[in-house]
Every structure is written in C-alpha cells, then in structure tokens.
Amino acid sequence: MKPFKFRTSANARIPAIERIERMHPLKMINYLVISVSCILFAVITLFFVGFLANGMTGQLHYTLPKFFVVSTMLLVVSTHFTSKIIAAYCSDNIAELRKLISFTLIGGLIYFLSQSLAWMEILKLDLLHKVSGISTYLFIFSGMHFVYMLVGVVMSAMLFYKYMLIENDPVKTLIATTNPHEKVKLEIFKTYWNFLVFSWGLIFLMLLFIF
C-alpha cells in the first residue's frame, strides 16, 4: 500500500521570491503603484488622526455632501462589471467584454461628475475658509483619489476603444483572445480598479464618521 501524500499546487511549491521574479513586469509595476499609494494614504491618515486628536473638530458643523454618497455607490456597482471581464475574455466573448468595460467607463465618468458636484457644494458653503484644517485633509484625500481615478478611467477608455475596433473582426478577435499579454492587461486593470473602489470606500467611511 502506497503512503498517502498531500497534494499541493505548483504555485505553492514555488518560493515567494521566485514567484515575484516570474511575475509580469506590468503586474509588478501595478502592485508597486498600489503599495506606494496605500503607504501614502496611511501616512496622511495618521496625520489626520493626530489632527483630530488635538480637538480640532469642535468648530465643524457640516454634513458630508450627498454626491460623495452617489460616487461611492457608483464605484461599488462598477465592481459587478469588472469582476466579470476575465471570464468574458476567457470565453472569447469580445462583445460582452467590450460591454462590461463600457459600463465601467460610464460609471467612472459619472463618478467624476458627482465628485465635481460635491466640491461645488463645499465651495458654495465656504467650508474651505470656515474649517481650514478639515477641508485641507478632505481636499487631499478626495483630490488624490480623483487623480488615481482619472488613470483608471483612461485605462478603461483605451480598453473600450480597442475592443470596439476588433469586436466584429474575427481575425483580430482571434489574435486578442490567444495573446497571453492581453489577459495580463485585463488582470492589471481589474486589480487597479478594485484598489480604486477599496481606497475610496475607506476614505468615505472615515469621512462619514467624522462629519
């Protein structure tokens, strides 16, 4: 009778350093950008917590703009579409893939509109002058995420345009669906978009409890 052996996956037997070395360079850059961004957000949050610990919120009597709620809901809904893009690609369904990316792109554009309306509301109430400390951190958090979101929208726009061009071309579709680098690009986009949703979710919850 042969001794029982536990089966392990191939990735589990590969050392972590070697798995990192085998990672696609674009994926490595994407994870590096996300890691640096998380560290930056964490440092700013620590300064913000220190600011709040000094009792600087007593002068604040303000309700968080409702359009921040709208933008948060839009990003959460967008993950429903981004979660399906890899499956659509693996099933060679370029039309479905293009549709999913288009919904993500529309969500991103509406997010920009809702954020702009939120800032118009803040400026209208003259919050920047009334509560300079809080408004500064609010500007930093939402402004940084606005820039990261712009990158995500540009990525989705480029992908949408590309798949729109090849959707009705069988040859180009075959090339795209058999190119392993194409899947890597979609995985990078999905990971980056999830980072956008997760980071804004944390920022929104923090601001919600403060305001």
Side-chain angles (χ1 to χ4, degrees), residues 31-90:
Y31 286 127
L32 180 61
V33 170
I34 292 176
S35 300
V36 172
S37 301
C38 289
I39 294 174
L40 185 59
F41 273 120
V43 171
I44 297 175
T45 301
L46 288 176
F47 280 107
F48 190 33
V49 171
F51 174 81
L52 297 176
N54 291 327
M56 301 298 293
T57 59
Q59 55 183 327
L60 185 61
H61 301 283
Y62 183 74
T63 302
L64 196 66
K66 57 182 177 298
F67 287 105
F68 279 148
V69 179
V70 175
S71 60
T72 303
M73 294 176 62
L74 285 171
L75 288 185
V76 172
V77 171
S78 70
T79 58
H80 171 73
F81 304 113
T82 55
S83 65
K84 297 181 178 181
I85 61 175
I86 302 301
Y89 172 81
C90 292

Side-chain angles (χ1 to χ4, degrees), residues 57-68 115-128 130-131 134-135 138 207-211:
T57 59
Q59 55 183 327
L60 185 61
H61 301 283
Y62 183 74
T63 302
L64 196 66
K66 57 182 177 298
F67 287 105
F68 279 148
Q115 289 287 86
S116 300
L117 292 174
W119 272 103
M120 288 176 61
E121 184 177 342
I122 291 176
L123 294 174
K124 184 178 179 180
L125 295 175
D126 202 23
L127 180 64
L128 295 178
K130 291 180 181 178
V131 195
I134 291 289
S135 60
L138 177 60
L207 296 177
L208 186 62
F209 282 111
I210 292 171
F211 285 84

Side-chain angles (χ1 to χ4, degrees), residues 22-183:
R22 292 184 179 184
M23 187 178 298
H24 193 281
L26 291 178
K27 276 191 174 183
M28 179 70 72
I29 294 174
N30 187 46
Y31 286 127
L32 180 61
V33 170
I34 292 176
S35 300
V36 172
S37 301
C38 289
I39 294 174
L40 185 59
F41 273 120
V43 171
I44 297 175
T45 301
L46 288 176
F47 280 107
F48 190 33
V49 171
F51 174 81
L52 297 176
N54 291 327
M56 301 298 293
T57 59
Q59 55 183 327
L60 185 61
H61 301 283
Y62 183 74
T63 302
L64 196 66
K66 57 182 177 298
F67 287 105
F68 279 148
V69 179
V70 175
S71 60
T72 303
M73 294 176 62
L74 285 171
L75 288 185
V76 172
V77 171
S78 70
T79 58
H80 171 73
F81 304 113
T82 55
S83 65
K84 297 181 178 181
I85 61 175
I86 302 301
Y89 172 81
C90 292
S91 61
D92 300 339
N93 194 342
I94 296 298
E96 180 67 15
L97 178 60
R98 188 266 308 160
K99 186 185 300 183
L100 293 170
I101 294 176
S102 68
F103 290 147
T104 305
L105 175 59
I106 292 172
L109 293 176
I110 299 177
Y111 166 86
F112 279 131
L113 176 61
S114 62
Q115 289 287 86
S116 300
L117 292 174
W119 272 103
M120 288 176 61
E121 184 177 342
I122 291 176
L123 294 174
K124 184 178 179 180
L125 295 175
D126 202 23
L127 180 64
L128 295 178
H129 295 91
K130 291 180 181 178
V131 195
S132 58
I134 291 289
S135 60
T136 299
Y137 283 104
L138 177 60
F139 175 78
I140 292 174
F141 283 126
S142 60
M144 285 180 58
H145 191 270
F146 195 91
V147 174
Y148 287 126
M149 192 68 193
L150 179 61
V151 175
V153 169
V154 171
M155 291 172 63
S156 61
M158 293 174 62
L159 289 172
F160 169 75
Y161 180 72
K162 177 178 182 178
Y163 293 125
M164 181 184 67
L165 293 179
I166 70 174
E167 180 180 353
N168 297 318
D169 191 324
V171 176
K172 292 182 178 180
T173 297
L174 178 62
I175 294 174
T177 54
T178 55
N179 184 0
H181 295 291
E182 199 68 31
K183 184 179 180 181

